Amino acid sequence: MKAGIVGLPNVGKSTLFNCLSNAKAQSANFPFCTIEPNIGVVNVPDTRMEKLEELVSPEKVIPATVEIVDIAGLVKGASKGEGLGNQFLGNIRETDAILHVLRCFDNDNIVHVDGSVDPIRDKETIDMELQLKDLESVEKKLDKVKRAAKTGNKEAQKEAAVLTSLKEGLESGTSVRAITLSDDDRAEYVKPLQLITDKPVMYVCNVDEEAATNGNAYVKSVKEAVANENAEVIFLAVGTEADITELDTYEERQLFLEDLGLSEPGSAKLIRGAYKLLDLETYFTAGVKEVRAWTIPVGATAPQAAGVIHTDFEKGFIRAEVIAYDDYVQYGSESKVKEAGKMRVEGKEYVVKDGDVMHFRFNV
């Protein structure tokens, strides 16, 4: 599961990517610096891991991760191949969620590709290019389906009606995720098309240091503009976050954050947001060898969760021994949880809850 960082050139995408992954994507004050998409595997900050480590004292701790892709800056005309348009659109199609970075700071030393700072205009520029690309895909599919619908095929007629709704919505400047359709129609007719504007999105407002704690007028305008999109909006000072990651020790980083009035880096909030955006959650295994966070889709069953460790665990699944995270912390150890009668035995139908501490019994 991958989240792609997108935006116009020079809005801070590669600097943000560096903060998140500690990879060193080239960062420079001109467009098209990132040509091949850089991919970083990023640890998901989770205070529950620290608590489990404290209780279990394992030999190692392995956190959950999420994949972040830094994609080249998009410009007007990308849907027609301008700039690195075709490559950008191909790269973004392969991601599962979008982190849309918007420039929400003034700085005369950093060139804006359109000559002035206006995050709403920038958002609309990218939205339009993505919508045009989706419109192209929908029209191609609609032409095929209409031919079948003319023969009296009821299923094709139903699909044509859904595709026509998509076409009209896109033509009016509405992204697919904001077009009103039933869940069934989305699952059957929209999802297989893998449309770019159907992907979940988080708007990341890149602010200056002064606005790192409370945001600014640009952030407010973005929140108002996306109110109908069911999208999350966060703000962080990407340049300042980059300075924090350069500091050597945890203590130095904490002092820097305290000076800014922050309890944690904005990048931590963003990574957790991306994880949630991808519809992912975490369960834990906890033993003296390792405490480990395992990533599963929301709604995964116990056998599916076991399969993340090894396919044999899923094939030969017998049962899961489950401790709720809060019970583990309350009683302090697995043995005390058992004594208190708080360990549950769950079967194949059990839907794993975020934070469950689990052992699997299986037979291969």
Side-chain angles (χ1 to χ4, degrees):
M1 299 290 277
K2 292 187 281 200
I5 301 177
V6 307
L8 292 176
N10 287 1
V11 295
K13 298 184 311 303
S14 295
T15 308
L16 175 62
F17 176 80
N18 290 341
C19 294
L20 296 179
S21 65
N22 292 327
K24 291 299 173 192
Q26 189 186 3
S27 176
N29 182 19
F30 53 89
F32 308 136
C33 182
T34 311
I35 295 176
E36 291 301 320
N38 293 282
I39 298 176
V41 177
V42 183
N43 291 342
V44 179
D46 193 332
T47 53
R48 296 174 299 183
M49 291 286 287
E50 295 160 28
K51 191 65 186 172
L52 288 172
E53 181 182 10
E54 185 187 308
L55 294 171
V56 179
S57 299
E59 290 172 22
K60 59 182 175 178
V61 177
I62 303 172
T65 59
V66 63
E67 218 169 79
I68 305 285
V69 187
D70 177 27
I71 299 169
L74 189 69
V75 293
K76 258 182 212 160
S79 56
K80 301 281 184 278
E82 290 293 321
L84 298 167
N86 292 331
Q87 192 171 340
F88 171 100
L89 294 160
N91 292 333
I92 195 175
R93 205 180 284 285
E94 289 167 18
T95 65
D96 303 287
I98 296 169
L99 306 176
H100 186 160
V101 183
L102 295 167
R103 177 170 167 177
C104 293
F105 66 90
D106 296 304
N107 185 333
D108 293 340
N109 295 321
I110 298 177
V111 179
H112 190 291
V113 73
D114 285 329
S116 62
V117 176
D118 183 344
I120 307 306
R121 178 201 59 212
D122 295 354
K123 172 196 171 305
E124 287 169 355
T125 296
I126 292 216
D127 281 352
M128 187 175 69
E129 296 304 328
L130 301 184
Q131 288 160 5
L132 286 168
K133 203 65 188 171
D134 279 350
L135 182 59
E136 200 179 288
S137 303
V138 169
E139 285 175 337
K140 272 184 196 165
K141 180 72 174 174
L142 185 56
D143 284 346
K144 283 183 192 168
V145 172
K146 272 182 174 172
R147 285 195 288 275
K150 278 178 184 170
T151 67
N153 182 317
K154 292 275 189 286
E155 188 59 31
Q157 287 170 355
K158 192 177 176 191
E159 185 173 4
V162 173
L163 291 170
T164 301
S165 294
L166 290 182
K167 179 174 182 289
E168 288 168 357
L170 287 163
E171 284 173 341
S172 70
T174 305
S175 292
V176 172
R177 73 181 78 83
I179 295 172
T180 306
L181 293 167
S182 73
D183 291 345
D184 288 348
D185 284 348
R186 277 193 179 277
E188 194 164 348
Y189 305 119
V190 183
K191 203 164 184 199
L193 295 175
Q194 292 185 297
L195 298 170
I196 301 170
T197 66
D198 194 34
K199 296 178 192 291
V201 64
M202 178 195 290
Y203 293 99
V204 182
C205 297
N206 181 10
V207 300
D208 54 24
E209 191 172 307
E210 289 70 35
T213 312
N214 299 312
N216 57 23
Y218 290 131
V219 175
K220 190 177 174 214
S221 68
V222 171
K223 286 182 176 176
E224 288 167 0
V226 306
N228 69 332
E229 282 191 43
N230 195 25
E232 192 172 346
V233 178
I234 71 164
F235 59 87
L236 66 162
V238 174
T240 305
E241 298 276 330
D243 293 339
I244 293 170
T245 60
E246 295 297 321
L247 296 172
D248 293 329
T249 67
Y250 173 79
E251 289 73 19
E252 285 177 310
R253 291 193 287 274
Q254 287 306 112
L255 281 170
F256 197 137
L257 288 167
E258 281 169 27
D259 285 345
L260 292 171
L262 298 171
S263 58
E264 65 173 355
S267 53
K269 192 166 53 171
L270 188 149
I271 295 163
R272 284 197 298 272
Y275 196 69
K276 192 175 162 193
L277 202 63
L278 291 163
D279 217 20
L280 301 175
E281 63 185 11
T282 301
Y283 77 87
F284 301 104
T285 50
V288 290
K289 287 283 181 196
E290 68 176 30
V291 164
R292 182 163 185 162
W294 299 90
T295 299
I296 52 171
V298 171
T301 60
Q304 289 167 337
V308 174
I309 299 175
H310 198 288
T311 50
D312 286 350
F313 284 29
E314 183 171 4
K315 286 177 196 161
F317 179 89
I318 300 170
R319 65 179 183 271
E321 294 168 356
V322 184
I323 303 170
Y325 169 78
D326 288 342
D327 288 338
Y328 203 109
V329 171
Q330 183 183 339
Y331 293 100
S333 72
E334 188 177 309
S335 57
K336 286 181 181 168
V337 170
K338 283 180 183 172
E339 282 170 27
K342 291 288 188 179
M343 178 184 276
R344 307 189 313 277
V345 175
E346 301 285 1
K348 290 182 177 180
E349 303 302 313
Y350 178 66
V351 175
V352 179
K353 294 180 179 63
D354 187 54
D356 279 349
V357 182
M358 305 183 79
H359 285 301
F360 298 103
R361 302 296 175 195
F362 65 99
N363 183 16
V364 285

